[in-house]
Amino acid sequence: MTDSTHLPTRFANRIALVTGGASGIGRAAVDRLVREGAAVVVWDIDKAKLDACGALHGHSVLTRVVDVSQAADVENAMAELIEARGKLDILVNGAGIVGPNGPFWETSPEQWDRVVRINLTGLFLVSRAATPHLVRNGWGRIVNIASVTANEGPKNLGPYAATKAGVVGLTKSMGKDLAGTGVLVNAVTPALIATDLLQQLSAEYLAAALSRIPLGRAGTLDEAAALITWLCSDECSFSTGAAFDLSGGRGV
Ligand SMILES: NC(=O)c1ccc[n+]([C@@H]2O[C@H](COP(=O)([O-])OP(=O)(O)OC[C@H]3O[C@@H](n4cnc5c(N)ncnc54)[C@H](O)[C@@H]3O)[C@@H](O)[C@H]2O)c1
């Protein structure tokens, strides 16, 4: 992505919150939002990566260790965000984990609960805390990072696929619940994007996943950030409750 494709004032005066924004797709969204004028708050559980992000962006970024699966942590952090920045316009729900690789019957209830609490309940908790502030503005954008696995239900990835299907279903309801408020809610459904998260996948799964992408490669972080930030922008105005494919043709 060259600088000439960036719009330096696209997010001027916008306050954005990105969960899971310390690395990978969330971090790519943070970087682009900042480059295009937003003040960004980043919540993540990885303190070292949060510090690196904060050091790079200086006053444009506030970072905080927040576990999105913990309701009290989310509520406290949201109160701090509003106190510090005065409002919230944009929410990107990027925090997520892959969870166990294996057949569903070998997944322990504890493993299942952890994936659900982070990928689905966490997204609900953060969206729930953010929504009154977005509605108060009369303008807002929520972008939920789902996955192409929401539709596919890949072998050995049941908990992850179930949570991502849940994210797509929740996005549809959120979009309709908020219709008419000025707040639009959409999801993206990536296939393989080149991030650290891929290291949590088995070599066998990775090879099979790549072979199913018609464009024949993983997506880039810039490609993910381009779609996510478009969904955060004024230019996205007639889409809500939708899941946007980001899979090199695999998911369509
Ligand atoms: N990379 C891909 O190919 C791909 C494909 C489809 C969907 N996704 C989704 O994109 C999102 C981002 O994934 P990524 O590939 O950038 O991975 P990543 O591991 O680089 O980023 C995920 C971030 O979420 C944070 N996180 C994990 N648990 C958290 C919690 N409880 N509270 C707050 N933060 C937490 C991690 O510390 C990390 O910084 C995830 O929701 C993932 O499921 C990724």
Side-chain angles (χ1 to χ4, degrees):
M1 185 72 56
T2 63
D3 278 347
S4 62
T5 62
H6 295 140
L7 308 166
T9 59
R10 181 159 65 148
F11 297 112
N13 302 317
R14 296 289 187 211
I15 309 295
L17 167 62
V18 181
T19 73
S23 78
I25 295 172
R27 173 62 193 272
V30 171
D31 292 347
R32 184 147 183 182
L33 285 163
V34 169
R35 278 204 299 274
E36 298 192 338
V40 183
V41 177
V42 184
W43 291 356
D44 204 290
I45 48 167
D46 190 324
K47 173 95 169 65
K49 286 184 177 169
L50 278 175
D51 289 347
C53 180
L56 180 73
H57 289 302
H59 67 272
S60 299
V61 162
L62 286 180
T63 63
R64 189 187 194 282
V65 174
V66 178
D67 181 343
V68 298
S69 70
Q70 301 302 315
D73 203 8
V74 167
E75 291 295 331
N76 292 336
M78 184 60 70
E80 274 179 32
L81 183 160
I82 297 299
E83 175 81 23
R85 294 298 197 198
K87 65 165 185 164
L88 179 65
D89 303 299
I90 292 165
L91 167 62
V92 177
N93 279 306
I97 59 167
V98 174
N101 284 263
F104 72 89
W105 66 87
E106 290 178 6
T107 299
S108 71
E110 293 73 24
Q111 288 174 312
W112 170 269
D113 281 344
R114 180 161 180 266
V115 180
V116 171
R117 280 211 66 81
I118 294 172
N119 291 2
L120 186 55
T121 308
L123 186 145
F124 159 75
L125 292 172
V126 178
S127 302
R128 181 177 178 277
T131 291
H133 304 292
L134 302 176
V135 170
R136 190 176 311 122
N137 299 336
W139 189 97
R141 298 286 182 272
I142 300 177
V143 182
N144 296 327
I145 315 297
S147 163
V148 73
T149 61
N151 292 328
E152 286 181 359
K155 182 176 161 72
N156 289 334
L157 222 48
Y160 183 75
T163 59
K164 294 303 185 178
V167 168
V168 171
L170 180 58
T171 300
K172 292 179 185 184
S173 290
M174 288 168 68
K176 288 167 190 144
D177 288 352
L178 286 167
T181 65
V183 180
L184 306 181
V185 186
N186 292 290
V188 296
T189 56
L192 288 186
I193 306 293
T195 71
D196 293 349
L197 187 130
L198 300 196
Q199 289 161 14
Q200 299 175 41
L201 299 168
S202 67
E204 182 194 19
Y205 178 86
L206 257 181
L210 269 176
S211 74
R212 289 202 310 279
I213 297 178
L215 293 186
R217 61 173 176 84
T220 68
L221 288 171
D222 282 343
E223 288 170 327
L227 178 57
I228 291 165
T229 53
W230 181 77
L231 291 168
C232 293
S233 76
D234 275 318
E235 270 195 298
C236 174
S237 55
F238 198 50
S239 300
T240 199
F244 286 74
D245 181 75
L246 187 63
S247 74
R250 170 174 149 188
V252 296

